[in-house]
Amino acid sequence: MTADHSPSTPDQIASMTDRAREVIQLNIEALQALERTIDASVARACDVILSRPGYVVVTGMGKSGHIGGKIAATLASTGTNAFFVHPAEMSHGDLGMLREDCTLLAISASGESRELRDPLIFCQRNNIPVIGMTQRGSSFLARMSAVPLIMPQVAEACPNGLAPTTSTLMTLALGDALAMVLMDRRQFTATDFGLHHPGGSLGMSLQSVREWMGDNHAPPASVALDADFTEVVSAITAGRKGAVAVLNADGTLAGIITDGDVRRAFSNDISAITAADIMSRNPKIVSPDQRMSDVVDLLSANKIATLFVVENDRPVAIVHIAELMQAGYVS
């Protein structure tokens, strides 16, 4: 077979576009068929997993294995401890990963993958429940499963009917469905999700303000209500955040003075101006227990550069949009 690297003709482009749409449509139809077959077996599978204190061990051969790796990752990130093990490796020592408190989630479209036989027999001998994802209800995998999750038999998008396409998509969707139902049952929250995703913009947005502050975060620069103009400017300069907290006599937050407030004050006689005269009352604040996504939303919605973190009515930190951008909290 030789490759033709010449540019595609208009007819070829139209044909390829139609074929791509056909593949997408076949995938849509496969998912619709899967949706129609979903029954109480998903709930039974979740009950088995929730009743077991150990890990969910996911396994599968070939393309099923690739999908299994993604399912294991989704389970692990949404509150269900899980990891993937290659079935061939199990037959060469890794069966020891299948502890008595585990659950095996085995994936095979045909249900007859020979590499799965040793793990399935091991589970049967050791009373480890198996949840099997397969398209054949009469297969070895289905028969060995405590809960078989049977997917419909649909045509693959591959013109030769060989390359797994629609079948792997259904498996992925069924794995996602299982993970999300388990997530609901565990009442796994966005905060829990953030703890499992500390890296990247998603994890950062779910981080709490207290976590962002850390143990050594300096309190904001502050002045008293009766501080004169020179004190205000000096405090803003020393704080290097473009703003200063104005405090009541008891240390609670009274207002905020920003660089902009200072510039506007120059239009008046500054000799007798105090902090109370130029501060903005009721500044935007967040608590240490709010998420960093709340901070970003508040800054963006109000088109401001700074806000205070307040605990027990006292400012404990100041957040500036520039440092959030530098740290990656704002893209």
Side-chain angles (χ1 to χ4, degrees), residues 299-320:
L299 291 171
S300 301
N302 292 278
K303 296 182 173 151
I304 55 177
T306 53
L307 56 75
F308 291 117
V309 182
V310 174
E311 190 169 29
N312 298 323
D313 297 326
R314 288 168 169 76
V316 293
I318 184 170
V319 186
H320 194 283

Side-chain angles (χ1 to χ4, degrees), residues 133-146:
M133 289 186 180
T134 180
Q135 287 181 287
R136 295 178 55 191
S138 60
S139 64
F140 183 73
L141 173 56
R143 296 195 308 273
M144 297 289 282
S145 296

Side-chain angles (χ1 to χ4, degrees), residues 48-284:
V48 169
I49 292 172
L50 290 167
S51 70
R52 310 282 294 175
Y55 282 82
V56 174
V57 179
V58 184
T59 192
M61 192 67 193
K63 301 299 187 296
S64 292
H66 293 303
I67 297 299
K70 190 276 178 186
I71 293 173
T74 299
L75 287 168
S77 68
T78 54
T80 298
N81 294 328
F83 60 89
F84 178 84
V85 182
H86 194 283
E89 297 294 338
M90 287 193 190
S91 297
H92 294 274
D94 284 356
L95 281 173
M97 295 183 178
L98 289 171
R99 297 171 46 149
E100 292 183 357
D101 59 356
C102 287
T103 304
L104 181 67
L105 175 58
I107 304 169
S108 170
S110 69
E112 301 292 347
S113 296
R114 58 185 176 85
E115 293 85 358
L116 289 179
R117 288 184 169 262
D118 287 342
L120 293 175
I121 292 170
F122 179 87
C123 287
Q124 186 180 57
R125 288 174 178 170
N126 291 275
N127 295 316
I128 297 171
V130 175
I131 297 168
M133 289 186 180
T134 180
Q135 287 181 287
R136 295 178 55 191
S138 60
S139 64
F140 183 73
L141 173 56
R143 296 195 308 273
M144 297 289 282
S145 296
V147 183
L149 299 176
I150 309 302
M151 298 175 289
Q153 295 190 38
V154 297
E156 300 285 7
C158 170
N160 299 316
L162 299 174
T165 48
T166 53
S167 60
T168 50
L169 180 64
M170 287 192 301
T171 305
L172 180 62
L174 184 55
D176 283 344
L178 186 67
M180 294 304 101
V181 173
L182 285 166
M183 186 178 179
D184 291 345
R185 285 287 305 275
R186 294 184 190 279
Q187 297 182 335
F188 193 80
T189 66
T191 299
D192 298 324
F193 193 84
L195 294 174
H196 288 237
H197 296 75
S201 58
L202 175 61
M204 294 172 74
S205 69
L206 293 170
Q207 190 180 47
S208 73
V209 176
R210 194 183 302 279
E211 290 169 328
W212 168 81
M213 289 167 55
D215 296 329
N216 301 313
H217 206 88
S222 60
V223 296
L225 282 166
D226 59 357
D228 62 29
F229 191 76
T230 301
E231 290 179 85
V232 170
V233 174
S234 296
I236 292 177
T237 303
R240 302 177 65 180
K241 293 292 181 71
V244 65
V246 182
L247 305 182
N248 294 306
D250 61 359
T252 57
L253 183 65
I256 184 173
I257 298 175
T258 66
D259 284 336
D261 295 321
V262 169
R263 289 193 298 271
R264 285 186 289 274
F266 278 108
S267 62
N268 302 308
D269 179 10
I270 63 172
S271 60
I273 285 180
T274 66
D277 298 324
I278 59 174
M279 73 178 185
S280 298
R281 298 180 184 275
N282 301 315
K284 300 301 179 186

